[in-house]
Amino acid sequence: MLKPILISIAVASTLTACGGGSIPSSTTLVQTAAKPFLTLNGQQPLVVAHRGASGYIPEETYEAYVRAIELGADAIEPDLISTKDGVLIARHDPNLAYSTDVDKHPEFANRKRTQVVDGESQTGWFASDFTLAEIKTLGGISTDAERPQQFNGQYKIVTFQEIIDLAKAKSTSTRVIAVYPETKNPTYHRAIGLPLEDKLIDMIKAAGWNSKTAPIYVQSFEPSSLKYLKSKGLNTKLIQLIDADDVDMKTGKLTFAAPYDKPYDWAVAGDKRLFSDMVTPAGLAEIKTYADGIGPWKPYIMSVKGTFGADGKQLDVNGDGKINYADATSLPPTTLIADAHKAGLMVHAYTFRNESRRIPADFKNDPKAEYKAFYRLGLDGVFSDFADTAIAARTEYVQELQAK
Ligand SMILES: [Ca+2]
Ligand SMILES: [Ca+2]
């Protein structure tokens, strides 16, 4: 499948032609070349640092974004929620209990309460009850027990403006750092009187980034948030995220149990469709009317399947006493990347992680092997908790193309 690929113009002088035979001049190569990469724009796949260098440092802190840039990321990804005073900050959840040390702050003990977020009743401390000044007294904590805990509480919560400023400060004439914000729980934020979208548009315009070519991608799970942004004059690249609940390890098919069966705005509207309706040709065509790409969970592109015993139970193939992705193998890829490209949409898949239990057995405990399998399919970008691994895998992939 990679046979017709020629390498990018920038490195054409080092190329040996694929398939042997006569080697055309580099000029001819460029003129007759198929796209060097199978991506929609012919460029190498984009490495997005998901929540910053979240594999190493408490996610969505300034330090996590600085580290991601040091590791070579092309883009840094914040989730955007609102403070009580309407400031957009980077946190994955409105409930600060999940990713901060708010429970260690007795001065805020009386703000603990229960709140419904996207249909789920949660108890904790909610960003909409705190001013930015108050939130700046909190520290971020690791959200994953398998990852480093020694930085917990040390790093402050960062505003979206600070992230924009960081990306600009770290960009050079040869390396532009993009930002990749997500409107998080947009229906919820609108319902509590702290809508995200207009503030986001104002900040992007003030940054001078309101165009398709600017170093910014705006993403959301909720189509209505992206449609609103577009209708209000946001001209950046827009990405429709596509989730699912889980994978059925017997069949490799994705499962769609609430609340991960559909975007929350569809649930509120009584829309019967599921996320899976977004990846049909009709679904992709509709997304193309308001967005530039899709951000699917990666099993939509290459799913996995477990091995089952005669008793119907999934086998612990590697014998480590646990059943997880390391006991499953990858299935042949779907046509989603090709279908999306045909519709004119780029594809950025999530989330790539280094932990062994998250790597299917056929990649032999090598996270780079997983990235390369997806890069070879023409994936346009990856959301990664370990940007350095994504970059290293991309370097190997480029070398692999050059060797063809
Ligand atoms: Ca996100
Ligand atoms: Ca196992």
Side-chain angles (χ1 to χ4, degrees), residues 314-381:
Q314 190 178 352
L315 299 179
D316 176 15
V317 175
N318 65 3
D320 68 352
K322 296 167 190 160
I323 304 279
N324 50 42
Y325 270 55
D327 303 302
T329 50
S330 301
L331 289 171
T334 67
T335 60
L336 179 57
I337 293 176
D339 294 347
H341 286 178
K342 200 184 288 177
L345 295 164
M346 63 184 116
V347 184
H348 296 163
Y350 67 90
T351 302
F352 289 80
R353 299 177 163 119
N354 281 9
E355 285 88 5
S356 305
R357 71 174 177 87
R358 292 164 154 154
I359 309 285
D362 45 301
F363 298 127
K364 302 186 170 27
N365 203 16
D366 176 9
K368 284 188 294 181
E370 184 185 32
Y371 288 100
K372 286 190 280 185
F374 280 82
Y375 291 156
R376 289 180 193 121
L377 299 174
L379 185 65
D380 302 280

Side-chain angles (χ1 to χ4, degrees), residues 183-311:
T183 59
K184 207 76 196 173
N185 312 102
T187 294
Y188 160 85
H189 277 102
R190 208 168 301 125
I192 62 172
L194 292 167
L196 306 170
E197 288 87 357
D198 292 300
K199 288 175 191 126
L200 179 59
I201 294 170
D202 289 347
M203 294 173 76
I204 290 170
K205 284 184 176 170
W209 281 348
N210 192 26
S211 76
K212 291 283 179 219
T213 54
I216 182 165
Y217 301 75
V218 177
Q219 49 167 336
S220 189
F221 282 109
E222 295 189 18
S224 60
S225 183
L226 296 176
K227 288 177 179 175
Y228 180 88
L229 289 163
K230 186 178 166 77
S231 75
K232 292 290 178 179
L234 188 68
N235 296 324
T236 66
K237 296 177 281 287
L238 298 174
I239 305 293
Q240 174 66 58
L241 299 172
I242 306 176
D243 211 353
D245 176 54
D246 208 346
V247 169
D248 179 343
M249 282 291 163
K250 268 199 171 138
T251 63
K253 289 203 166 85
L254 278 75
T255 61
F256 296 89
Y260 303 106
D261 57 338
K262 61 179 62 180
Y264 187 63
D265 56 344
W266 284 9
V268 169
D271 194 319
K272 294 277 183 279
R273 289 175 297 169
L274 303 173
F275 275 121
S276 53
D277 288 294
M278 290 184 177
V279 300
T280 64
L284 294 169
E286 188 193 334
I287 291 170
K288 180 62 181 170
T289 65
Y290 63 87
D292 304 281
I294 57 171
W297 188 31
K298 61 189 181 184
Y300 276 102
I301 295 164
M302 216 180 334
S303 192
V304 295
K305 197 173 163 181
T307 305
F308 285 76
D311 60 357

Side-chain angles (χ1 to χ4, degrees), residues 50 77 79 182 184 219:
H50 179 247
E77 194 249 6
D79 298 300
E182 175 182 351
K184 207 76 196 173
Q219 49 167 336

